[in-house]
Amino acid sequence: CYGVIRFIMENGAKGVEVIISGKLRAQRAKAMKFKDGYLISTGEPKKHYIAEAVRHVCMRQGMLGIKVKIMLAHDPEGIMGPKMPLPDNVIIHEPKEDVPVMQPNAEDQAQGGYQGDQ
């Protein structure tokens, strides 16, 4: 399973989860989860970013179930992943140039700032 996960992650996925369930080695059924990377599980972006597959394998002892979830990376062209960016994606811009604050003139301060008294 670790080889499969490494192969998926090297081919540009953001995250992957593999679940194998059934009679693995003993009579008692088990479920094993293998995860790597970032994987979203709820919301509207799940429909666009998560690719799922389920397969059933018939072994001598019984059935094995294999579930694979792959989170695709954002692709602006929409070829290798969804075009739509994640809604919680934050873009940090460079700060703007600060304009120096001008000091008020001496004659402006002498008037007191209120023009109605004159």
Side-chain angles (χ1 to χ4, degrees):
C1 277
Y2 294 112
V4 172
I5 290 174
R6 188 166 32 96
F7 177 76
I8 293 170
M9 292 300 287
E10 286 173 357
N11 283 318
K14 262 191 166 180
V16 63
E17 179 183 49
V18 178
I19 302 172
I20 300 173
S21 60
K23 291 184 187 178
L24 297 173
R25 289 191 181 152
Q27 279 295 110
R28 192 80 151 154
K30 287 183 186 170
M32 297 176 76
K33 286 187 179 184
F34 303 93
K35 286 185 180 183
D36 193 16
Y38 176 63
L39 205 71
I40 57 174
S41 59
T42 60
E44 178 68 21
K46 181 184 175 188
K47 296 177 186 175
H48 303 286
Y49 277 89
I50 300 291
E52 290 186 71
V54 178
R55 293 289 179 264
H56 304 290
V57 181
C58 187
M59 304 289 280
R60 192 170 48 87
Q61 286 187 330
M63 295 291 279
L64 278 183
I66 300 171
K67 292 182 187 177
V68 179
K69 290 182 185 179
I70 301 172
M71 180 159 171
L72 306 170
H74 170 66
D75 184 17
E77 287 84 39
I79 299 168
M80 293 293 291
K83 231 180 202 185
M84 180 187 77
L86 281 170
D88 61 348
N89 191 15
V90 177
I91 299 171
I92 299 173
H93 298 286
E94 290 294 321
K96 294 181 181 178
E97 290 277 333
D98 286 337
V99 179
V101 179
M102 300 299 290
Q103 292 291 333
N105 294 338
E107 58 252 5
D108 290 343
Q109 288 179 350
Q111 293 176 2
Y114 183 65
Q115 303 295 329
D117 285 351
Q118 297 177 17

